[in-house]
């Protein structure tokens, strides 16, 4: 036993790595080298005579010499296979072990996994793997175990620079990228790039480089321009006609151009108040005298231009209404609905038949406030009728006053007219009578034909519409549908209230501001001015006591004081601050509201065409009273049936006036027709007080012009133009993206393959 152990130790010293038995790893080595020797008998494989010379690769010289010496050493060992890297036992030779065929595994896998029966590989893969293995000239650990001590030391000395070389080959990734990039440039579909790489003539290469860069520069310039144009978010309005469309009938607002009615004037006189014209005169004189008294006290003290501009806003009816004493409702100064609209009839299409109905039975009237016309009235048809109304006929009454002066006139021509102001607007919206109304004169029949336009707007960034706008808005306890203009008025009024601590009469008062307790911005301090003619305030007096008070305040002699005048004390300065603040906010009204108000994404506007003729003809005047009486009987009949909410009693004052004027004419026509005609010619009551208005649908009864807001450059158009520019200038298409992906895939695959083979550290 001891002798056998000594013999084993001696063999291990002679062959320290020789395993006592055939292991699985040695079987794998023998199997794969057997396959390589069988497939590559003539290419870089050790010949079966034991010669280990290997050609090719950077390690061919050193590796070949070393292998040769090892081969000669093992030629004398019969139990080794002629390939000195693999040792096979006699038992393996006897068993006739053979591989089922070549596999796809690389060299590293061959030495770690047993062969699988179903595997197969190709000749070139095996050859490539073997060449790479031979190129590195780094034998495996199992092969090193077959060498003696001297050979192992020699291999260790050879492997030291090779390991350094493997570490330095970390730069091989850049070489792989460079090689694949060059290959990409040679095969890419980008125009001009393959010519730059493949052309050998230097001049042609420079020409291709210059033109290729010029093409890319032109392409990027066009791309920048088209993207900049897209980011401008410009829109166009594309119109088209829609036929047989159920178009809603617009709301219409009617105002008397003379804001004060005869009853209103009597009301003002009964309360000992100034009329608007008298108010304007007194306030203007007081402001002028106040500035004169200030200059007598201090020559440099006077109102600046901003204050002067602000004070000019209180000289008209706006200032008059804002200085009305508390407890008096200004609506009592204007015309009532019964005094303005005598008759309103509509023609409705019901099952292809036309029917006549009074406006009160198919819709509602709403009173709205206007600081110029005071009381205005808006009619809105019900949802069940608005799409079926064809025509609306209105007989209006101006109630012209027989006065020797005009109490609500001024130097502005707009305040000197007589008649009605009419506006057609989107159903339910708050009216903009001053901005968009039409003037209609008395004694005429005016036909208003409207064409409906449906606007379909875009949301930001291309447009300014919003689908989140509220459905309605409340002004003075009345409900109105949302509109951009109404929103601006509401936001503007809120700004005035917040910054100036006052209200403005030119803007409708939202319900949220009804109980704030604030005064109007143009309200003069009550202790200095009042609309009451018997008031004892300073600005309304021309008495010695008032003169002494002003003289003491301005520190001037009493005989130099100019009356009437205001005292420029703290409360008057606060008044000046309020009117100045109010004016300054109106100057920047657009900036104030643009960020908070948006237009609805769908709304309607109405283009109007007006035609006017004299009404009525003289011959009809003989019949007008009879027709008027028949209309009253019809109203009473509908009232008794519960269809109308009021009877004809509101027409009694006009009826009595007509009978008083035209009954003598009707009596005279029986006995003396010539005298009756002469009498009729001298009567102008109808021509001064009555107006007939017809509101008709234009063109076709149910036809609209739809105007849709569209982006000049949509996202689809932008991508199409970018694709066209890239294709025209440089030939860049989506195929180029696939080519880049292919190049990156090749780089990653080659780099990972080199790492598995140990070429890259």
């Amino acid at each position: 036993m001891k002798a056998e152990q000594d013999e084993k130790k001696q063999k291990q010293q002679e062959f320290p790595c020789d395993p006592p038995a055939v292991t699985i790893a040695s079987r794998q080595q023998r199997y794969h080298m057997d396959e390589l020797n069988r497939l590559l008998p003539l290419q870089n494989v050790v010949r079966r005579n034991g010669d280990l010379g290997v050609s090719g690769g950077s390690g061919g010289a050193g590796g070949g010499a070393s292998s040769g010496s090892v081969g000669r050493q093992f030629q004398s060992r019969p139990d080794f296979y002629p390939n000195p890297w693999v040792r096979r036992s006699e038992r393996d030779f006897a068993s006739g072990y053979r591989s089922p065929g070549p596999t796809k595994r690389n060299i590293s896998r061959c030495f770690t996994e047993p062969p699988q029966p179903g595997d197969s590989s190709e000749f070139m893969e095996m050859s490539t793997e073997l060449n790479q293995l031979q190129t590195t000239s780094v034998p495996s650990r199992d092969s090193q175990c077959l060498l003696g001590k001297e050979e192992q030391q020699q291999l260790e000395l050879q492997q030291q620079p090779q390991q350094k070389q493997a570490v330095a080959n970390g730069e091989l990734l850049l070489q792989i990228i460079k090689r694949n990039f060059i290959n990409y440039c040679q095969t890419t579909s980008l125009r001009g790039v393959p010519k730059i790489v493949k052309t050998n003539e230097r001049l042609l290469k420079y020409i291709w480089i210059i033109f290729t860069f010029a093409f890319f520069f032109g392409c990027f310039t066009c791309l920048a321009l088209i993207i900049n144009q897209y980011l401008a978010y410009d829109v166009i309005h594309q119109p088209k006609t829609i036929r047989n469309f159920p178009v809603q009938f617009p709301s219409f607002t009617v105002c008397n151009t003379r804001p004060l009615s005869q009853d209103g004037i009597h009301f003002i006189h009964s309360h000992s108040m100034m009329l608007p014209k008298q108010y304007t005169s007194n306030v203007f004189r007081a402001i002028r005298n106040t500035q004169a008294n200030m200059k007598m006290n201090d020559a440099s003290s006077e109102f600046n231009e901003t204050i002067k501009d602000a004070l000019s806003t209180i000289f008209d009816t706006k200032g008059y209404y804002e200085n009305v004493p508390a407890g008096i409702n200004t609506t009592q100064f204007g015309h009532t609905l019964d005094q303005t609209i005598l008759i309103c009839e509509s023609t409705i299409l019901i099952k292809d038949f036309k029917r006549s109905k009074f406006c009160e039975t198919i819709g509602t009237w709403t009173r709205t406030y206007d600081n110029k016309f005071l009381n205005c009235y808006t009619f809105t048809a019900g949802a069940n009728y608005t799409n079926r109304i064809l025509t609306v006929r209105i007989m209006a009454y101006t109630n012209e006053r027989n006065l020797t002066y005009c109490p609500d006139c001024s130097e502005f021509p707009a305040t000197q007219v007589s008649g009605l102001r009419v506006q057609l607007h989107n159903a339910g919206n708050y009216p903009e009578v001053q901005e968009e109304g039409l003037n209609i004169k008395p004694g005429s029949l005016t036909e208003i034909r409207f064409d409906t336009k449906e606007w379909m707007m875009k949301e930001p960034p291309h447009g300014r519409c919003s689908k989140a706008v509220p459905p309605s808005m409340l002004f003075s306890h009345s409900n109105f549908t949302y509109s951009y203009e109404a929103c601006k008025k509401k936001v503007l009024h809120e700004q005035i209230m917040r910054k100036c601590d006052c209200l403005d009469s030119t803007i409708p008062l939202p319900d949220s501001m009804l109980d704030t307790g604030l005064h109007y911005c143009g309200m003069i301090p009550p202790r200095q001015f009042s609309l009451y003619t018997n008031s004892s305030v300073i600005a309304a007096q021309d008495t010695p006591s008032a003169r002494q008070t002003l003289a003491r305040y301005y520190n001037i002699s009493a005989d130099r004081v100019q009356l009437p005048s205001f005292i420029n004390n703290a409360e008057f300065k606060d008044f000046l601050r309020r009117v100045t603040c109010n004016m300054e906010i109106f100057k920047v009204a657009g900036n104030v509201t643009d960020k908070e108000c948006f237009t609805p994404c769908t709304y309607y506007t109405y283009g109007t065409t007006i035609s006017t003729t004299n009404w009525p003809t003289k011959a009809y005047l003989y019949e007008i009273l009879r027709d008027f009486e028949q209309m009253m009987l019809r109203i009473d009949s509908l009232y008794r049936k519960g269809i109308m909410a009021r009877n004809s009693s509101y027409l009694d004052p006009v009826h009595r006036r007509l009978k008083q004027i035209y009954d003598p004419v009707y009596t005279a026509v029986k006995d003396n027709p010539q005298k009756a005609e002469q009498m009729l010619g001298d009567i102008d009551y109808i021509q001064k007080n009555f107006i007939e208005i017809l509101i008709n649908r234009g063109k076709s009864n149910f036809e609209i012009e739809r105007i849709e807001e569209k982006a000049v450059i949509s996202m689809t158009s932008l991508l199409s133009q970018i694709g066209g520019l890239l294709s025209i200038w440089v030939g860049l298409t989506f195929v180029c993206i696939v080519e880049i992906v292919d190049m990156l895939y090749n780089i990653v695959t080659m780099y990972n393959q080199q790492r598995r083979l140990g070429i890259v550290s």
Side-chain angles (χ1 to χ4, degrees):
M1 292 292 294
K2 186 176 182 181
E4 292 178 356
Q5 292 178 355
D6 293 340
E7 185 179 356
K8 287 183 178 180
K9 288 182 180 180
Q10 184 178 359
K11 287 183 178 181
Q12 289 178 356
Q13 290 177 357
E14 184 178 358
F15 301 103
C17 297
D18 192 14
V22 178
T23 62
I24 295 176
S26 63
R27 287 184 179 182
Q28 294 171 347
Q29 296 172 0
R30 289 194 300 272
Y31 160 71
H32 289 293
M33 293 308 297
D34 186 298
E35 293 302 322
L36 292 175
N37 288 327
R38 183 172 64 83
L39 294 173
L40 305 173
L42 300 178
Q43 292 189 358
N44 305 327
V45 179
V46 179
R47 295 177 176 84
R48 291 185 181 273
N49 58 5
D51 185 8
L52 297 181
V54 181
S55 64
S58 60
S66 175
S67 300
S69 63
V70 176
R72 286 189 296 273
Q73 176 182 353
F74 286 95
Q75 282 178 357
S76 61
R77 295 177 63 91
D79 55 341
F80 277 84
Y81 193 75
N83 186 344
W85 293 106
V86 180
R87 177 183 178 182
R88 299 182 68 177
S89 65
E90 295 179 359
R91 184 179 63 184
D92 292 332
F93 280 110
S95 62
Y97 179 84
R98 286 294 181 267
S99 167
T103 67
K104 265 189 173 181
R105 297 177 179 86
N106 53 29
I107 299 301
S108 62
R109 183 181 173 190
C110 291
F111 284 93
T112 58
E113 296 182 9
Q116 301 296 329
D119 290 344
S120 62
S121 65
E122 296 181 359
F123 179 87
M124 293 307 297
E125 288 183 344
M126 300 282 292
S127 176
T128 303
E129 293 174 353
L130 182 60
N131 287 336
Q132 291 175 350
L133 179 63
Q134 293 170 347
T135 301
T136 60
S137 298
V138 182
S140 65
R141 183 180 179 276
D142 293 335
S143 63
Q144 292 181 24
C145 291
L146 301 178
L147 303 179
K149 292 183 178 180
E150 295 180 359
E151 286 81 0
Q152 290 181 9
Q153 293 176 357
Q154 185 177 0
L155 283 175
E156 289 176 359
L157 294 175
Q158 293 177 355
Q159 288 175 5
Q160 289 180 359
Q162 291 174 354
Q163 291 174 355
K164 293 181 181 179
Q165 179 69 20
V167 174
N169 281 343
E171 300 177 358
L172 186 62
L173 176 61
L174 296 178
Q175 298 177 3
I176 294 174
I177 294 174
K178 179 180 178 181
R179 183 163 62 251
N180 280 272
F181 180 74
I182 293 175
N183 180 63
Y184 168 78
C185 292
Q186 291 174 343
T187 60
T188 182
S189 59
L190 290 175
R191 294 175 184 171
V193 175
K195 289 288 186 180
I196 296 175
V197 179
K198 295 179 179 179
T199 302
N200 296 324
E201 183 67 32
R202 178 173 296 183
L203 178 61
L204 291 178
K205 186 182 291 290
Y206 288 155
I207 291 175
W208 276 109
I209 291 174
I210 292 173
F211 276 98
T212 302
F213 275 95
F215 293 155
F216 273 91
F217 178 78
C219 178
F220 291 143
T221 302
C222 293
L223 287 177
L225 294 176
I226 195 67
I227 292 175
N228 184 62
Q229 187 177 0
Y230 170 78
L231 294 178
Y233 301 119
D234 293 330
V235 295
I236 58 174
H237 295 93
Q238 184 175 357
K240 62 179 178 181
T241 300
I242 308 297
R243 304 184 186 277
N244 298 322
F245 188 85
V247 184
Q248 62 180 357
F249 201 86
S251 294
F252 55 87
T253 300
V254 180
C255 307
N256 196 316
T257 56
R258 300 260 48 87
L260 300 181
S261 65
Q262 290 190 18
D263 293 340
I265 294 173
H266 294 322
F267 179 87
I268 293 172
H269 283 309
S270 65
H271 286 75
S272 301
M273 294 170 56
M274 302 179 189
L275 290 169
K277 196 169 187 177
Q278 186 180 358
Y279 156 83
T280 301
S281 176
N282 287 1
V283 172
F284 181 78
R285 287 168 51 209
I287 294 292
R288 183 185 59 189
N289 292 338
T290 301
Q291 186 171 1
N293 293 331
M294 291 169 56
K295 291 185 68 174
M296 283 188 288
N297 180 32
D298 184 358
S300 61
S301 177
E302 63 177 349
F303 297 139
N304 57 39
E305 294 300 324
T306 303
I307 294 179
K308 290 179 181 179
D309 292 340
L311 289 174
S312 65
T313 62
I314 68 169
F315 295 147
D316 55 7
T317 54
K318 171 184 180 297
Y320 180 82
Y321 299 141
E322 292 185 352
N323 282 279
V324 170
I328 295 180
N329 191 348
T330 55
T331 59
Q332 302 178 72
F333 301 165
H335 301 267
T336 64
L337 176 62
D338 295 340
Q339 293 172 343
T340 305
I341 306 297
L342 299 181
I343 299 172
C344 179
E345 284 187 291
S346 61
T347 303
I348 300 178
L349 191 65
I350 301 178
K351 295 182 179 180
D352 297 331
F353 292 96
K354 296 180 180 179
R355 296 289 185 266
S356 178
K357 289 183 176 293
F358 285 104
C359 295
E360 290 85 347
T361 63
I362 63 170
T364 57
W365 289 96
T366 305
R367 188 189 64 83
T368 57
Y369 168 81
D370 186 90
N371 72 301
K372 181 179 179 181
F373 304 114
L374 201 54
N375 292 342
C376 297
Y377 299 95
T378 300
F379 176 78
T380 302
N384 296 331
Y385 298 98
T386 184
N387 295 333
R388 294 185 288 169
I389 299 176
L390 299 179
T391 304
V392 171
R393 174 222 171 187
I394 302 171
M395 178 183 285
Y397 184 63
T398 62
N399 194 16
E400 185 65 26
R401 302 158 308 205
N402 295 320
L403 301 174
T404 57
Y405 69 100
C406 183
D408 49 7
C409 295
S410 67
E411 66 275 10
F412 299 106
T415 65
Q416 304 164 7
V417 299
S418 177
L420 296 180
R421 184 86 168 177
V422 179
Q423 181 203 359
L424 273 62
H425 52 87
N426 201 18
N429 282 4
Y430 197 92
E432 301 284 332
V433 183
Q434 293 190 41
E435 294 82 359
E436 301 179 11
L438 306 170
N439 287 324
I440 300 177
K441 68 177 183 178
S444 66
L445 185 149
T446 301
E447 182 179 11
I448 303 175
R449 288 187 173 271
F450 66 89
D451 298 322
T452 306
K453 295 183 179 180
E454 182 185 39
W455 296 82
M456 303 183 69
M457 314 302 289
K458 293 185 70 66
E459 293 183 275
H462 291 91
R464 279 193 48 78
C465 86
S466 174
K467 296 180 180 178
V469 297
S472 62
M473 306 181 73
L474 290 173
F475 292 102
S476 301
H477 302 297
S478 297
N479 192 14
F480 297 91
T481 57
Y482 176 89
S483 67
Y484 175 68
E485 291 76 15
C487 177
K488 286 176 59 178
K489 292 180 183 295
K490 180 178 181 293
V491 173
L492 190 61
H493 217 156
E494 291 173 349
Q495 289 281 343
I496 293 173
M497 181 185 68
R498 185 166 54 252
K499 295 184 178 181
C500 306
D501 297 324
C502 58
L503 306 176
D504 190 287
S505 65
T506 61
I507 307 174
L509 192 63
D511 277 17
S512 59
M513 301 169 60
L514 289 176
D515 300 323
T516 57
L518 298 176
H519 298 293
Y520 286 112
C521 299
M523 184 178 181
I524 304 172
R527 287 185 291 184
Q528 298 201 41
F529 179 80
S530 175
L531 285 180
Y532 291 118
T533 55
N534 56 359
S535 175
S536 60
V537 296
I538 296 174
Q541 296 185 65
D542 190 2
T543 62
S545 60
R547 188 176 296 274
Q548 290 295 333
T549 302
L550 291 168
R552 285 194 300 270
Y553 180 81
Y554 288 112
N555 196 21
I556 57 177
S557 59
D559 58 345
R560 298 179 61 190
V561 172
Q562 299 187 27
L563 294 176
S565 174
F566 298 115
I567 297 178
N568 192 25
N569 55 10
E571 62 178 2
F572 190 79
K573 289 179 180 178
D574 184 66
F575 158 72
L576 296 177
R577 179 195 64 80
R578 286 187 276 113
V579 295
T580 304
C581 174
N582 188 8
M583 183 192 67
E584 293 295 335
I585 290 180
F586 267 98
K587 287 183 178 179
V588 294
N591 299 333
V592 169
T593 58
D594 279 350
K595 297 180 181 179
E596 301 183 47
C597 292
F598 298 88
T599 59
C601 290
T602 301
Y603 64 94
Y604 297 90
T605 59
Y606 303 92
T608 56
T609 303
I610 299 177
S611 60
T612 303
T613 185
N614 292 330
W615 177 89
T617 181
K618 287 288 184 180
Y620 179 71
L621 292 176
Y622 292 102
E623 303 175 8
I624 190 171
L625 181 58
R626 182 192 62 190
D627 290 350
F628 196 81
E629 291 173 346
Q630 291 179 353
M631 185 66 66
M632 293 177 66
L633 293 175
R634 184 183 168 195
I635 292 173
D636 289 334
S637 174
L638 294 175
Y639 173 75
R640 287 191 296 269
K641 294 178 181 179
I643 299 176
M644 291 191 66
R646 60 178 179 173
N647 57 22
S648 64
S649 59
Y650 73 94
L651 296 175
D652 287 342
V654 178
H655 179 247
R656 287 195 298 268
R657 182 61 176 163
L658 287 174
K659 286 182 65 67
Q660 179 184 357
I661 294 174
Y662 290 102
D663 270 349
V665 177
Y666 297 156
T667 303
V669 74
K670 298 177 182 179
D671 301 330
N672 191 347
Q674 293 182 350
K675 182 181 179 181
E677 185 177 353
Q678 182 179 358
M679 292 173 59
L680 197 61
D682 296 334
I683 299 173
D684 59 356
Y685 178 74
I686 297 292
Q687 289 81 353
K688 285 185 177 181
N689 292 277
F690 284 76
I691 298 176
E692 277 279 347
I693 303 174
L694 296 177
I695 303 176
N696 297 324
R697 296 180 185 269
K699 294 183 179 179
S700 176
N701 286 333
F702 299 99
E703 178 180 304
I704 68 168
E705 182 181 7
R706 177 172 293 169
I707 302 175
E708 188 173 357
E709 195 172 51
K710 293 186 177 181
V712 174
I713 300 179
S714 63
M715 179 58 70
T716 304
S717 176
L718 176 67
L719 295 177
S720 299
Q721 294 189 44
I722 289 176
L725 289 173
L726 293 175
S727 178
I728 291 174
W729 282 94
V730 297
L732 179 62
T733 61
F734 280 109
V735 176
C736 296
I737 299 177
V738 181
E739 293 174 349
I740 294 175
V741 172
D742 178 72
M743 179 186 69
L744 296 176
Y745 175 79
N746 290 334
I747 292 174
V748 174
T749 302
M750 294 180 64
Y751 181 73
N752 290 335
Q753 186 179 18
Q754 300 296 340
R755 291 191 62 180
R756 287 195 301 268
L757 296 177
I759 297 177
V760 181
S761 61

